Amino acid sequence: EVQLVESGGGLVKPGGSLRLSCAASGFTFTKAWMSWVRQAPGKGLEWIGRIKSNADGGTTDYAASVKGRLSVSRDDSKNTLYLQMNSLKTEDTGMYYCTTDPAHINDFWGQGTLVTVSS
Amino acid sequence: DIQMTQSPSSLSASVGDRVTITCRASQGLRNDFGWYQQKPGKAPKRLVYTVSSLQNGVPSRFSGSGSGTEFTLTISSLQPEDFATYYCLQHNTYPYTFGQGTKLEIK
């Protein structure tokens, strides 16, 4: 059974940092390009970043709204995807989902982890 | 960035109706395009990839079509479980961009 399980969300003050994790199982994580997608409360979906497989260079791309503050990384030895979030703003509040990159035929999503940025 | 303009933003329909949702891209996408369904409190789920390919397990009443800059999702006969919010996504160019969503409600 495929599972993507996010963790690490919570309440953080503006300017603070948080690291989200996404533990993958049930598919070949090492070959997968992975993305993070977020959703502000009551709003639509926003793609925020992607990391290629290490075999494809392990490079990253980001949305302009998060570039320089959020960064995606992976540890294939742990089958885990990360989202390091620095200099957090109130507008970063929302549900954060990890997902296989849309370029893949398979479509896997985690259940999401909630990040609240508030003083 | 590629802008995805999705219409309508909301739609009321009845069980059994045929429904079409449209996404227009600000530039051509080849076939790097898909449709997603999201129900309240749940993660999104992809219905269609590469414009017209149905994801495994998705009922055949869903279909995708289009090319270039205009794409459509059609539900041929609405079922109660189809009432949800639908999003399009382009992954031709970074940053990937979603449409703003179409909320499909029961009439």
Side-chain angles (χ1 to χ4, degrees):
Chain A
E1 180 198 4
V2 170
Q3 282 200 308
L4 289 171
V5 180
E6 299 99 335
S7 59
L11 175 63
V12 61
K13 289 182 167 51
S17 296
L18 212 53
R19 188 177 81 156
L20 307 184
S21 300
C22 172
S25 60
F27 68 102
T28 309
F29 178 77
T30 54
K31 292 185 177 180
W33 294 18
M34 299 294 296
S35 281
W36 285 95
V37 171
R38 70 181 179 185
Q39 187 168 36
K43 302 296 183 184
L45 302 171
E46 180 187 15
W47 176 87
I48 55 175
R50 181 235 68 216
I51 187 166
K52 293 183 179 180
S53 65
N54 282 326
D56 289 323
T59 55
T60 53
D61 283 279
Y62 298 97
S65 59
V66 305
K67 200 167 188 177
R69 301 187 302 115
L70 276 58
S71 64
V72 182
S73 62
R74 63 191 300 157
D75 184 340
D76 286 354
S77 69
K78 297 181 178 178
N79 276 5
T80 300
L81 179 73
Y82 299 101
L83 181 66
Q84 178 66 43
M85 308 173 73
N86 298 330
S87 303
L88 282 163
K89 306 176 181 180
T90 55
E91 52 263 40
D92 293 317
T93 292
M95 188 69 77
Y96 285 71
Y97 298 100
C98 67
T99 176
T100 44
D101 191 82
H104 289 300
I105 287 177
N106 291 320
D107 176 60
F108 305 137
W109 291 73
Q111 83 288 353
T113 188
L114 183 63
V115 172
T116 303
V117 184
S118 174
S119 54
Chain B
D1 297 3
I2 295 180
Q3 308 303 316
M4 301 301 295
T5 304
Q6 190 173 336
S7 61
S9 55
S10 65
L11 178 57
S12 292
S14 301
V15 172
D17 284 353
R18 179 183 179 90
V19 162
T20 298
I21 300 169
T22 298
C23 248
R24 287 189 176 84
S26 58
Q27 61 190 75
L29 300 180
R30 299 182 305 181
N31 65 347
D32 301 320
F33 179 88
W35 289 100
Y36 292 75
Q37 177 192 66
Q38 188 181 31
K39 296 183 178 179
K42 299 293 187 182
K45 163 189 164 183
R46 190 168 65 184
L47 303 174
V48 172
Y49 64 98
T50 59
V51 179
S52 59
S53 299
L54 224 53
Q55 205 72 40
N56 274 351
V58 172
S60 59
R61 63 181 179 272
F62 291 92
S63 64
S65 64
S67 64
T69 61
E70 187 156 335
F71 303 90
T72 60
L73 174 71
T74 300
I75 310 172
S76 60
S77 178
L78 273 173
Q79 298 303 300
E81 59 269 29
D82 300 336
F83 292 93
T85 301
Y86 294 84
Y87 296 91
C88 62
L89 170 70
Q90 71 81 18
H91 56 96
N92 179 75
T93 303
Y94 295 111
Y96 299 165
T97 42
F98 285 94
Q100 66 268 46
T102 296
K103 187 172 184 180
L104 181 51
E105 297 175 308
I106 301 174
K107 187 184 284 184

